[in-house]
Amino acid sequence: MTTWILCWLVFPVVVVALSLGLGLLAERLTRTQLPATVILAVGMSALVVVTSLLTAFHLTAVVAGPVLVVLAAIGWLLSRPTFLTRARRRWSSLSAVAVFACYAAPVALSGAVSWAGFIKLDDTATWLALADRLSSEGHTTDGLAQSTYGVLIDWLFGIGYPVGAFADLGVLARLVGQDPAWIVQPLMATLAAGLGWALYAATAGLIRSLAWRAVVSFLAATSTLLVGYALWGGLKEVTLALLLVTCCLLLAQGRSDPRPVPAQAALFAIPMAGVFVVFGIAGVVYLVPLGLAELALIWRFYGLRRLVGAAIVFVVVFALLGLSNILLLGRQLTEFTNSSLRGAEDIGNLFGPLRFAQIFGVWPTGDFRVEPSAMGVTWLLVVLVAAGMVGGVVIAVRRRRPTVPVFVVMSVVVALWSVPGNAWLEGKVLAVASPAMLLAAGVAFAYLAENGRRFEGVTLVGLIGVGVIVSNTMAYREVWNAPADRMAELADIGASTALKPALMLEYNPPAARHFLRNLDVEAAGELRYNVIPMNSGVGLDKGAFADIDDFPLSSINAYPTLVLRTELTGSRPPSTYVVARPGLFYDVWAPDPAAPAIIQHWPLGDHTDAAAIAPCSVVREAIAKAGPAGRVAVARRTALVTVPFDAGTLPAGWASGSQPGSVSVAATGSITVPFTVAAEGQYLATLGGSLWGGVKVTVDGRDWHSDQGRLNWTPYSNPTPSIDLTTGPHSMTVEYSGGWRPGMGYSPSEIGPVQLSLAGADVPVTYVPAAQALSLCGQRLDWVEAIGR
């Protein structure tokens, strides 16, 4: 609970305090006075560019946190008296807090520190790796080990991947003493709150009522598509949306603008540099129209001579703050020229190109990749937002307020430009653009309400509001959160003193790319320097499943540490390994210094059962390899009892699953399954599949296990409490239910079977003299090994 409070309550306050300090410092340096909401937007933009600049080099990266605190403190000290006496900001703060709650709820209300988009997309694992590297070593590949983490960082830095969205994550994580994994979702929610503040500021001079401004900014900031990306690891998208609206806020506002022209240019350069470091060379699509808009406005209001001076100031400040990405431009250009992202065929993890209509911010479905079931209602809401958007732009133009028109026109132009191109990038563009559409529509509807058309204005805002809220509620119910306890165990393993390098067979990007980076882990089915051949002679495909017995000794022996899931169906590693750190989800295996050398290893069993009856032919071959004075080593495994969930009549909404003994559950219900055990004892147990809803299991009428919200890559399972069983028949009842917690509305959920065994993979090794080893014929064994003297 302490970590939850620190990450979800204390950390956002720290981010806001630091951002306000940086914004106040920028205000002081430019000798201007900005609205509080704009100060925060400028400060959050400065947070992005300052941390990017500090982490560009190793010498500055190691002191980035303290430098950030000092800069923010200077801003507070220089501006505290005047800032604290300014007008109250109740409505803007309420709107921002509501935005924060919307983005936070799908993870925070799970009661754990975690992140969204687990399994659905592996990007967050990459963001965590970049955040750690930037904050600890800077933008350098020096000293990288031959590991999954090493090859990832080497590849991304080698292509000049823009890392501006991740530097603040790493620096802030070190500052508050938390793993970036625990604060990545709180950071996105806090940046989204900053977006809400900025959108509130954008309505100044367009909406009179502070309450109306708060409602409109809340709806715009919680655009369905942007929230969807945030629940998919969209740190870049949320950051970019904030930066773009800040750029539009800082455009020249006319001769009534009290800011000196050089100050306008300097302030405008801060979020523009942010766009540059976050989006890299691709950010030109935003920088060019924004820059042209600012040039046109300054020229019109102040003339050519002052335009030249402003341009010089802008270039100097932009170059300084964007230096971290200027150094990468050559590599980015080369990569952009050769990248598959230029092709329309690349859709990434999308099911296909998104609908352009999603730019309007209302899409009532739990997954933005899927079309809503109520398409008629959806199209009605889309048309309303589109019509309102046009009206909002017209109103802003008539009132000579350039922020909203530029924000909308730029967003639409870039979105239209991206449609014929890459669908993966187009989706990001649509997400970033969607707040602009809702903002302009909100301005139009508020105008109606404030100018004699109250019923119409309230009705339209109400319709759009219901659409947005329903859409985000559906996303909340179908969110995919990382299992916090399993990730915490990986973090503990990564902080241990286990020998390097480590090997991991599970496809688990957060583990391989982040949590186990200090163990120089290589994942067999992930990015890696070395191909790790299986018995077939080929390496494991990305994301594929494998057991330790699928690999020859020559592949395994290169790794003194093995990190393996505690699966009852998993094989015991060879006899030269022993469990060094038993865990609930993972066992860490290390070399046994007392173990004799292995001459040859013969695996038995398969992926559904690690053991099998040992053929005499295998035993005789082992005896021959060991020689008369040698020994035969074996790992005896007790019988595995499988309780299939697909046996018998299934409830409505249940069907057989993709894995043996599993069921696909699309509705609440229960099923009772008989099973038999041949021996009395305390059984270890696992429950297969991924749990979105709640699962309750009773055995012989006694409550045994309940769980919810635990996701797995196929075909892994979840450990459950051990259970005492007597010899003979038993019955197991499995009940599946929904609930209000995040993710519990997703379906179908594939669960089962339950597997039981008197022992796990960590069984002792038995050594039998070669002369007596024929007695092993017909025994249930995991594997057989020939051992010398």
Side-chain angles (χ1 to χ4, degrees):
M1 188 61 182
T2 301
T3 304
W4 188 95
I5 292 173
L6 179 60
C7 293
W8 281 109
L9 299 180
V10 176
F11 174 73
V13 175
V14 171
V15 175
V16 170
L18 290 171
S19 299
L20 279 173
L22 294 175
L24 291 168
L25 181 60
E27 184 186 58
R28 192 74 173 181
L29 291 174
T30 56
R31 298 183 180 182
T32 58
Q33 182 167 316
L34 302 170
T37 48
V38 178
I39 291 174
L40 185 67
V42 172
M44 286 186 167
S45 302
L47 181 67
V48 171
V49 293
V50 169
T51 53
S52 297
L53 187 60
L54 290 172
T55 56
F57 311 98
H58 174 71
L59 290 178
T60 52
V62 295
V63 296
V67 171
L68 191 65
V69 171
V70 169
L71 291 175
I74 292 173
W76 274 107
L77 290 172
L78 292 178
S79 305
R80 180 177 57 86
T82 58
F83 178 72
L84 296 179
T85 57
R86 295 184 196 178
R88 293 181 180 180
R89 295 162 290 277
R90 182 182 61 179
W91 282 106
S92 62
S93 298
L94 285 174
S95 175
V97 169
V99 172
F100 177 86
C102 177
Y103 280 80
V107 179
L109 292 184
S110 69
V113 287
S114 183
W115 69 92
F118 186 69
I119 295 179
K120 188 178 287 189
L121 189 66
D122 59 13
D123 280 7
T124 299
T126 299
W127 308 158
L128 299 178
L130 287 169
D132 175 77
R133 184 66 182 182
L134 291 167
S135 61
S136 61
E137 301 295 333
H139 201 285
T140 173
T141 57
D142 294 345
L144 283 174
Q146 292 188 359
S147 63
T148 295
Y149 170 80
V151 71
L152 175 70
I153 297 298
D154 186 65
W155 170 57
L156 291 174
F157 283 5
I159 64 174
Y161 189 84
V163 295
F166 320 116
D168 53 349
L169 173 62
V171 173
L172 291 169
R174 289 184 178 272
L175 201 57
V176 298
Q178 293 296 312
D179 193 294
W182 313 145
I183 67 165
V184 62
Q185 211 71 36
L187 178 60
M188 273 192 275
T190 307
L191 293 173
L195 172 64
W197 263 305
L199 292 169
Y200 180 93
T203 61
L206 299 176
I207 302 175
R208 296 191 299 272
S209 166
L210 299 183
W212 269 107
R213 292 177 66 186
V215 170
V216 168
S217 60
F218 166 76
L219 293 178
T222 55
S223 150
T224 302
L225 191 54
L226 189 59
V227 170
Y229 266 86
L231 299 183
W232 209 19
L235 180 56
K236 288 181 68 172
E237 287 72 38
V238 175
T239 304
L240 187 58
L242 169 63
L243 292 167
L244 290 176
V245 71
T246 307
C247 289
C248 296
L249 279 173
L250 296 175
L251 290 166
Q253 301 295 311
R255 296 189 180 277
S256 60
D257 193 330
R259 299 173 298 162
V261 176
Q264 293 182 34
L267 287 170
F268 183 63
I270 296 174
M272 289 285 279
V275 174
F276 183 55
V277 300
V278 166
F279 224 49
I281 196 170
V284 170
V285 297
Y286 294 109
L287 297 176
V288 169
L290 285 169
L292 291 175
E294 176 71 346
L295 287 173
L297 289 169
I298 293 179
W299 191 351
R300 178 185 176 187
F301 296 137
Y302 304 107
L304 181 60
R305 195 173 74 174
R306 301 184 74 179
L307 171 63
V308 172
I312 293 172
V313 171
F314 172 84
V315 169
V316 171
V317 177
F318 180 89
L320 174 62
L321 297 179
L323 179 62
S324 61
N325 199 69
I326 290 174
L327 298 174
L328 307 177
L329 279 180
R331 280 174 276 179
Q332 288 178 3
L333 183 58
T334 300
E335 175 62 17
F336 181 76
T337 303
N338 301 324
S339 176
S340 64
L341 286 178
R342 297 174 65 238
E345 69 280 357
D346 180 24
I347 63 171
N349 280 38
L350 300 174
F351 298 149
L354 299 185
R355 290 286 195 101
F356 186 82
Q358 290 178 260
I359 195 175
F360 296 104
V362 185
W363 202 251
T365 179
D367 186 329
F368 63 82
R369 298 174 297 175
V370 179
E371 286 197 357
S373 56
M375 277 305 296
V377 174
T378 302
W379 282 117
L380 172 62
L381 295 174
V382 165
V383 170
L384 290 178
V385 174
M389 175 204 73
V390 175
V393 169
V394 171
I395 291 168
V397 169
R398 286 181 175 178
R399 296 189 178 181
R400 301 179 185 275
R401 295 281 181 169
T403 297
V404 171
V406 173
F407 191 24
V408 170
V409 172
M410 173 204 63
S411 299
V412 171
V413 168
V414 175
L416 289 172
W417 171 83
S418 70
V419 167
N422 175 259
W424 183 251
L425 289 180
E426 180 199 356
K428 296 174 180 289
V429 168
L430 294 176
V432 171
S434 56
M437 311 301 118
L438 286 169
L439 178 69
V443 167
F445 300 154
Y447 176 85
L448 291 177
E450 292 182 335
N451 290 274
R453 299 287 184 178
R454 182 176 180 81
F455 175 79
E456 292 88 337
V458 171
T459 300
L460 289 170
V461 169
L463 286 172
I464 301 303
V466 169
V468 170
I469 292 170
V470 167
S471 301
N472 292 334
T473 300
M474 295 175 73
Y476 167 93
R477 288 180 53 78
E478 297 191 17
V479 67
W480 294 31
N481 287 339
D485 48 2
R486 196 158 84 229
M487 298 301 105
E489 186 171 307
L490 284 168
D492 289 341
I493 294 171
S496 69
T497 56
L499 298 174
K500 306 175 184 180
L503 173 65
M504 189 175 204
L505 302 185
E506 177 190 22
Y507 177 72
N508 189 333
R513 302 182 192 184
H514 176 63
F515 290 119
L516 303 182
R517 65 192 182 280
N518 292 331
L519 300 184
D520 297 344
V521 70
E522 281 199 282
E526 250 274 42
L527 296 169
R528 56 189 183 268
Y529 272 102
N530 305 297
V531 175
I532 306 171
M534 295 188 292
N535 294 324
S536 61
V538 299
L540 189 65
D541 291 336
K542 181 179 179 180
F545 171 82
D547 183 66
I548 194 70
D549 264 357
D550 293 325
F551 296 85
L553 292 176
S554 57
S555 294
I556 299 170
N557 287 340
Y559 301 93
T561 295
L562 308 176
V563 182
L564 305 178
R565 286 288 290 267
T566 55
E567 294 284 314
L568 294 180
T569 56
S571 295
R572 188 203 192 281
S575 61
T576 49
Y577 287 90
V578 65
V579 174
R581 185 189 185 281
L584 179 61
F585 303 99
Y586 296 92
D587 286 334
V588 179
W589 299 76
D592 182 0
I598 302 170
I599 297 174
Q600 192 168 340
H601 177 97
W602 289 266
L604 302 174
D606 56 30
H607 289 170
T608 61
D609 191 341
I613 300 301
C616 285
S617 58
V618 172
V619 175
R620 289 192 179 97
E621 188 176 356
I623 293 171
K625 287 286 185 179
R631 291 177 292 174
V632 174
V634 296
R636 291 190 173 96
R637 299 291 292 269
T638 58
L640 183 67
V641 179
T642 298
V643 184
F645 288 1
D646 58 352
T649 303
L650 299 177
W654 293 36
S656 295
S658 63
Q659 300 299 306
S662 69
V663 288
S664 177
V665 181
T668 59
S670 64
I671 185 173
T672 300
V673 182
F675 68 99
T676 302
V677 297
E680 181 178 358
Q682 187 177 58
Y683 282 78
L684 303 175
T686 60
L687 170 61
S690 286
L691 315 179
W692 274 275
V695 174
K696 180 180 179 181
V697 185
T698 59
V699 176
D700 299 331
R702 296 172 297 156
D703 288 347
W704 169 50
H705 176 62
S706 61
D707 201 358
Q708 59 88 27
R710 193 181 302 282
L711 308 186
N712 277 301
W713 281 277
T714 303
Y716 291 101
S717 61
N718 307 286
T720 63
S722 58
I723 183 171
D724 292 317
L725 295 172
T726 58
T727 304
H730 299 272
S731 67
M732 179 179 293
T733 300
V734 182
E735 180 182 351
Y736 187 87
S737 61
W740 60 270
R741 288 181 177 271
M744 295 186 75
Y746 180 83
S747 67
S749 176
E750 188 165 299
I751 58 173
V754 164
Q755 293 181 309
L756 307 160
S757 179
L758 290 170
D762 55 341
V763 294
V765 177
T766 300
Y767 295 92
V768 181
Q772 304 171 19
L774 277 176
S775 63
L776 299 172
C777 291
Q779 293 190 24
R780 180 178 163 80
L781 305 176
D782 191 330
W783 41 252
V784 177
E785 292 176 346
I787 306 294
R789 291 179 181 272

